[in-house]
Each structure stands twice: as C-alpha cells, then as structure tokens.
C-alpha cells in the first residue's frame, strides 16, 4: 500500500494504466480503488479473507485488485474464460462471501450459481461513488505482512486444482528483488497480458504500479496473437514483457518482430526455455535483455533467475541462482543434499514460500515441510529435478 501510494503522491498525473483508448492517471486509479475499498470494508472484507474477482481484462480489473488489497482482503482471481465446472470447483473450495464481477464475469458465472454477495464493477451508479477517495489505513484494518495477499489456484493439470495462499511478505520480497535486479522506472511501459489467474500477472500489475511506470493492458485476444503483440509493442513503446517460452517461439516468428526497438526486457518463465529461442532473440532483438526465471505458484512466482549474456551461444539455458531471501536445495530421496553436479529434487525455502493450500491441511503437510537446515524455515517440495552446472547456475531437468 505504502509503495503504491507513494507513487501516487509523487506523480498523481502520470499515466498508470492504458487500455485501448483509456488512459488513467495514478491519481484517478488510486481514488477509484480507494472508494471501492471503503465499500468492501463496509461489506465486511477482512484480513485473510478471500474476495473473488471475475472480470475481463480492463481498467476495472486493476481497480478491483487494488481495492481488495486496500480493504485488507486477499484477491481470488476467476478467469471468465474458465469452463463452468472449473469456476464451480474453485467457488466451492474457497467459499468467498464476496465476489466482484463485470458483465463478462456475470455471464461466465450465470450457469454456475454463486452463493456470495456480488459487487457489480460496471454498475451505472455504483454504491461507492460518493465514498471517500482517501487511502484506507492498513494498520487500522489490522493488516500485517503475514496476512494473505492472494489465493491463486493451480491449473489442476496433474491433480485437483489447489488454492495456493501467498502472504504479503512473500510477494513484496519478490517485487523488491525484481526492482533491485531490473531497475524499472517511470519511463518504462510494461505489457500486462498474462491472465490474472496465473501468478506472473501479479508482477505485471504490481511491480509496474509500485515503481511509477505505465501498465498497458493487452486488448482481448491479443495475448495469443503474435502479430497483434508486435503491433502493440511498437505502437505503445513497450519496454518490458513476459513470455512463456512456447509463446516466445511464436512471437519471434512474427513478421516485423525486429521493429520492436523499444523492447528493453523480455522475461521468460513457466516452461523450459529452449536454447534455439535464446539464440533467435539474440539475433533479432540484440538490444533486448533476456531473463529466464523459474518458480512454482507455491513460492511467490519465481525463486531463481538467470540473465542471458549478449554473447550466449550455449546449448543449455540455466534457470540461474536463487533470488533474494530465498534458499534452494537439491536433495536425494532421503532428504540429504546431493553432490555438486548430481541430479536432485528441488526444494525451496525462504521468504517466498506459501502458507500452504487453502482447505488442504493434509496436502500442505505433505508438500510444505520443516527445514532440517535452517531453524524455523519451511521447505516446499517441488517435485522438479535439477542439477548445478559448473558455473554454479541451476539446470532445470
């Protein structure tokens, strides 16, 4: 709260969010989010309480996320593109008593049935329009760094979707490390294209707004269209963008990709990054810094990072080294560290580790264990295999 509101005070007229023909200043964004936050507080939002939000990508999405956090709640994103069965599953498990929605969200939830009170973000005459524009005081709400910032459900590709509970201290640590590593400033323009039900979107939203940069929201469908992304990057002078490696492959094959001269940073995560893609970025976008990151939803987005050297011509793309306040261990089947260079299962400790899975105490106890290495620390068992390369970077296997 304090970091974002400091940017508002510093440059209230600077452009915070761009969506198609809308341009919203930091002052306007904060005022709208504050009014909605006061309304949510009046509806009973409290620390550690998930508040669901089901909206299409829009300025209202940004306002809604900020408002839930400012009210002290934890946001629970529901993608309107999800099948009804997936939405029903998440709502049954999380049981939020409050849900923020726009027309797209209400349509998606129409056949699902919602037991929560619904706040219509696109109401013609919203009930919060006359509420104060002042910042709620997080201390008066009893909010601390150990309360939840968000609950994001895993994809469920390998099992039943699980609600991962991330505390404020975990996501703030991740964002502060990112700023120290990559140095965003008020001249930067960040593309927000990741569906907000994936945790990468959290840094797209909040790193941008905490540092006074401009957030450009991708129009509908553009996040899946490489040519549309090229045009958007050129027209909006985007400096920073995230790609999962499979989408990076498509993007680099787009016509005119070499005209993306504003692009200063490309960050990759979510899948293994092929060396061929790195070589292509280096050839077609030599002015662009390329970073490869690794991390599960259960550890606040990313836990290791590697910056690609300009002269890189290798066959292995590492996932790098641990970020700030993060510990990574490669352990064998008995929980002992493997020798340097040997393959081990990757365990994560430190500030980014999630509280656990919502309403899944048995699974939480199985995957989040007490650290035998640092007293009071907890380790998340990823199930992923990795090894150290001779230079000390990690290779994801």
């Amino acid at each position: 709260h304090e970091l974002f509101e400091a940017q508002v005070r510093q440059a209230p007229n600077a452009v915070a969010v761009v969506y198609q023909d809308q341009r919203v200043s930091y002052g306007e964004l904060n005022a709208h989010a504050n009014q909605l936050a006061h309304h949510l507080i009046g509806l009973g939002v409290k620390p550690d309480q998930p508040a669901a939000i089901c909206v299409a990508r829009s300025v209202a999405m940004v306002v809604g996320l900020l408002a839930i956090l400012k009210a002290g709640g934890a946001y629970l994103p529901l993608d309107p593109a999800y099948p009804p069965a997936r939405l029903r599953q998440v709502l049954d498990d999380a049981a939020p008593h409050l849900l923020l929605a726009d027309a797209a969200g209400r349509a998606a939830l129409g056949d699902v049935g919602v037991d929560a009170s619904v706040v219509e973000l696109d109401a013609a005459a919203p009930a919060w329009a006359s509420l104060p524009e002042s910042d709620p005081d997080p201390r008066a709400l009893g909010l601390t760094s150990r309360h939840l910032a968000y609950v994001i459900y895993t994809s469920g590709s390998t099992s039943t979707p699980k609600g991962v509970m991330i505390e404020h201290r975990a996501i703030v640590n991740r964002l502060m490390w990112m700023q120290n590593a990559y140095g965003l400033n008020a001249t930067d323009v960040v593309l927000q294209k990741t569906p907000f039900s994936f945790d990468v979107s959290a840094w797209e939203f909040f790193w941008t707004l905490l540092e006074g940069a401009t957030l450009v929201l991708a129009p509908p469908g553009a996040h899946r269209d490489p040519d549309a992304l090229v045009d958007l990057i050129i027209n909006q002078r985007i400096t920073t963008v995230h790609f999962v490696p499979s989408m990076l492959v498509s993007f680099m094959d787009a016509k005119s990709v070499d005209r993306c001269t504003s692009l200063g940073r490309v960050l990759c995560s979510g899948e293994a990054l092929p060396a061929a893609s790195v070589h292509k970025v280096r050839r077609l976008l030599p002015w662009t810094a390329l970073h490869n990151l690794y991390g599960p939803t259960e550890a606040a987005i990313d836990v290791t990072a590697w910056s690609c050297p300009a002269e890189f011509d290798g066959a292995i793309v590492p996932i790098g080294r641990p970020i700030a306040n993060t510990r990574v261990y490669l352990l064998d089947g008995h929980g002992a560290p493997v020798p340097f260079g040997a393959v081990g299962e990757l365990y994560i400790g430190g500030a980014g580790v999630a509280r656990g899975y919502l309403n899944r105490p048995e699974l939480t106890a199985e995957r989040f264990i007490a650290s035998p290495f640092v007293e009071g620390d907890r380790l998340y068992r990823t199930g992923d295999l990795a090894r150290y390369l001779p230079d000390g970077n990690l290779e994801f296997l």
Side-chain angles (χ1 to χ4, degrees), residues 11-344:
N13 297 320
V15 177
V17 181
V18 175
Y19 180 63
Q20 297 183 328
D21 59 350
Q22 290 180 275
R23 299 175 70 84
V24 180
S25 72
Y26 270 84
E28 293 170 315
L29 179 64
N30 194 48
H32 294 322
N34 285 342
Q35 288 179 311
L36 179 55
H38 287 296
H39 181 64
L40 298 181
I41 292 168
L43 293 176
V45 170
K46 292 180 173 59
D48 273 358
Q49 184 181 85
I53 176 169
C54 188
V55 295
R57 187 182 290 113
S58 61
V59 174
M61 174 184 282
V62 185
V63 170
L65 295 177
L66 285 171
I68 292 170
L69 292 172
K70 283 170 168 283
Y75 74 86
L76 168 65
L78 300 173
D79 191 333
Y82 278 159
R86 161 81 177 193
L87 293 171
R88 178 75 272 163
Q89 190 175 41
V90 172
L91 287 169
D92 285 345
D93 186 57
H97 88 278
L98 197 67
L99 188 147
L100 285 62
D102 62 0
R106 293 192 298 276
L109 294 164
D111 297 328
V112 173
V114 177
D115 298 326
S117 299
V118 177
V119 176
E120 297 187 359
L121 292 183
D122 52 359
W128 54 93
S130 60
L131 292 181
E133 297 181 355
S134 57
D135 300 318
D137 181 358
R139 291 165 188 79
L141 300 171
L143 191 65
T144 74
S145 65
R146 300 311 298 260
H147 284 119
L148 297 180
Y150 60 77
V151 178
I152 286 183
Y153 275 74
T154 60
S155 64
S157 57
T158 57
S159 62
T160 303
K162 305 173 287 290
V164 179
M165 299 184 288
I166 296 293
E167 297 174 345
H168 280 266
R169 71 171 193 145
I171 185 62
V172 168
N173 180 74
R174 169 62 176 72
L175 296 175
M176 293 299 93
W177 164 81
M178 196 171 197
Q179 178 58 16
N180 186 61
Y182 305 134
L184 204 69
N185 62 52
T187 67
D188 278 301
V189 183
V190 179
L191 180 59
Q192 199 291 302
K193 66 179 184 64
T194 306
F196 77 152
S197 53
F198 291 94
D199 63 349
V200 164
S201 66
W203 75 248
E204 291 176 336
F205 288 117
F206 302 120
W207 182 39
T208 306
L209 297 175
L210 266 55
E211 303 302 334
T214 298
L215 185 71
V216 173
L217 306 177
H223 65 288
R224 294 189 293 265
D225 184 339
D227 291 324
L229 287 176
V230 167
D231 290 341
L232 187 62
I233 288 168
I234 293 170
N235 294 335
Q236 295 291 345
R237 304 293 299 166
I238 301 294
T239 67
T240 305
V241 66
H242 173 271
F243 286 107
V244 293
S246 53
M247 187 61 188
L248 178 65
V249 170
S250 299
F251 176 74
M252 294 307 300
D253 286 338
K255 60 184 179 182
S256 303
V257 70
D258 57 349
R259 291 180 55 221
C260 295
T261 55
S262 63
L263 203 54
R265 305 177 191 87
V266 169
L267 294 96
C268 287
S269 66
E271 302 165 353
L273 178 59
S277 296
V278 175
H279 300 153
K280 196 163 190 176
V281 173
R282 292 271 57 86
R283 186 173 73 253
L284 295 179
L285 302 173
W287 54 83
T288 303
L290 179 64
H291 307 282
N292 190 36
L293 300 96
Y294 160 84
T297 305
E298 288 87 347
I301 313 176
D302 299 304
V303 294
T304 68
W306 175 78
S307 295
C308 178
E311 68 283 0
F312 178 77
D313 62 356
I316 296 173
V317 180
I319 57 172
R321 301 168 186 258
I323 70 168
N325 302 309
T326 300
R327 290 174 285 277
V328 169
Y329 304 92
L330 299 184
L331 306 181
D332 63 19
H334 302 288
V338 300
F340 189 84
V343 176

Side-chain angles (χ1 to χ4, degrees), residues 4-16:
F4 170 64
E5 288 156 9
Q7 295 299 333
V8 176
R9 291 190 297 272
Q10 182 174 313
N13 297 320
V15 177

